[in-house]
Amino acid sequence: MASVLVLAGCGSDPATADRLALEQPDAGYLEVELPTFDGGSFTLADVGGRPAVVNFFASWCAPCVSEMPAFEAVKSAVGDEVAFVGINVQDRIEDGAALIERTGITWQIARDPDGELVRAVGGVGMPTTVLLDADGAIVELRTGALGQDQLGDLLREHFGVEVPP
């Protein structure tokens, strides 16, 4: 199954990015164990059984910060139909925690201090958003900030989930 990558790294305009088809990476990304901010651990396999939006972000990435309210709005609108996971990448723990507090995001958050997971899924810039189907397969991979309507369109296209206005 191919996934799609939009080349539009941190600070660039995703509307003008080119789309490239990528091969599905080895499913080992589901088992990469990441620390959480509360001292626990998390893997993408923990989501299991429902589609998921996985958003890789960092406090030093302005587009990451700017898209967070849109993701929170979509998460609130779809409830438990779709899991939302935030992965704080290559950030100091205090900077990631401060961003989470400031933006008020409410989904599962883990840390990818060395960028291992973002590389494993094929991410090449920030922010990176990955959509996983209920089996954990990547059905979409986007680099660059997404707005509320764009994210809603992706959920409708890949998961048949309607995002109320």
Side-chain angles (χ1 to χ4, degrees), residues 19-37:
R19 294 170 71 100
L20 298 175
L22 295 178
E23 290 185 25
Q24 185 75 220
D26 181 294
Y29 61 87
L30 292 170
E31 300 301 330
V32 173
E33 191 167 326
L34 300 174
T36 60
F37 282 88

Side-chain angles (χ1 to χ4, degrees), residues 129-164:
T129 301
V130 177
L131 273 61
L132 303 176
D133 68 14
D135 296 323
I138 295 173
V139 296
E140 184 89 18
L141 188 150
R142 295 276 183 113
T143 299
L146 293 172
Q148 189 171 340
D149 290 341
Q150 291 170 304
L151 183 56
D153 290 346
L154 291 172
L155 296 185
R156 186 173 24 268
E157 176 186 342
H158 291 291
F159 306 142
V161 172
E162 292 296 326
V163 179

Side-chain angles (χ1 to χ4, degrees), residues 6-28:
V6 175
L7 294 176
C10 189
S12 59
D13 179 10
T16 61
D18 295 327
R19 294 170 71 100
L20 298 175
L22 295 178
E23 290 185 25
Q24 185 75 220
D26 181 294

Side-chain angles (χ1 to χ4, degrees), residues 17-65:
D18 295 327
R19 294 170 71 100
L20 298 175
L22 295 178
E23 290 185 25
Q24 185 75 220
D26 181 294
Y29 61 87
L30 292 170
E31 300 301 330
V32 173
E33 191 167 326
L34 300 174
T36 60
F37 282 88
D38 63 5
S41 64
F42 176 82
T43 69
L44 290 177
D46 294 339
V47 173
R50 63 183 167 148
V53 172
V54 182
N55 181 247
F56 293 90
F57 69 92
S59 65
W60 44 262
C61 171
C64 299
V65 176

Side-chain angles (χ1 to χ4, degrees), residues 116-138:
E116 177 186 3
L117 182 58
V118 74
R119 283 189 305 276
V121 300
V124 295
M126 296 295 289
T128 292
T129 301
V130 177
L131 273 61
L132 303 176
D133 68 14
D135 296 323
I138 295 173

